[in-house]
Amino acid sequence: EVQLQASGGGLVQAGGSLRLSCAASGFTFDHYAIGWFRQAPGKEREGVSCITNSDGSTYYARSVKGRFTISSDKAKNTVHLQMNNLKPEGTAVYYCAAAYAITISTMPGIDFMNYWGKGTLVTVSS
């Protein structure tokens, strides 16, 4: 059974940091890209960052580049998203998802992802 378990959300003040984790199981981790998406109230889900476990390629949305860092711990089948200098517009439910991909050159679209986990809520207060 495929499982993606996102954790690490919470309430933080603007300028603060959070580290999200996505624990994966039930598929061959090295053959998949793991992406983070977020959905703010009343808005569409958008891609934030992605990493491919085969070659370590990464992608960041323009809105988070320079503030967020994605990394993969292959020993634990877990992907982390370190979020620094958080802004109030970053308030959203954050989801991790997996797509069969050897490499990426851009953020995979929502329809490209094969598996989704339940989200974790991040609230950034001003």
Side-chain angles (χ1 to χ4, degrees), residues 56-102:
S57 301
T58 58
Y59 174 87
Y60 297 93
R62 187 179 302 177
S63 59
V64 306
K65 201 167 187 177
R67 300 186 296 118
F68 290 13
T69 303
I70 192 168
S71 61
S72 180
D73 182 345
K74 292 185 179 183
K76 296 182 179 180
N77 282 10
T78 299
V79 168
H80 301 289
L81 183 69
Q82 178 66 42
M83 306 187 297
N84 297 329
N85 190 20
L86 282 160
K87 302 179 179 181
E89 52 264 39
T91 294
V93 177
Y94 285 70
Y95 300 88
C96 63
Y100 182 81
I102 301 303

Side-chain angles (χ1 to χ4, degrees), residues 16-85:
S17 299
L18 282 175
R19 187 193 194 207
L20 304 184
S21 298
C22 177
S25 62
F27 58 90
T28 305
F29 194 66
D30 279 359
H31 295 172
Y32 280 75
I34 305 295
W36 284 98
F37 296 77
R38 66 187 180 188
Q39 188 164 17
K43 295 189 176 181
E44 293 187 352
R45 193 171 298 187
E46 63 175 358
V48 175
S49 184
C50 189
I51 186 168
T52 50
N53 290 307
S54 59
D55 67 358
S57 301
T58 58
Y59 174 87
Y60 297 93
R62 187 179 302 177
S63 59
V64 306
K65 201 167 187 177
R67 300 186 296 118
F68 290 13
T69 303
I70 192 168
S71 61
S72 180
D73 182 345
K74 292 185 179 183
K76 296 182 179 180
N77 282 10
T78 299
V79 168
H80 301 289
L81 183 69
Q82 178 66 42
M83 306 187 297
N84 297 329
N85 190 20

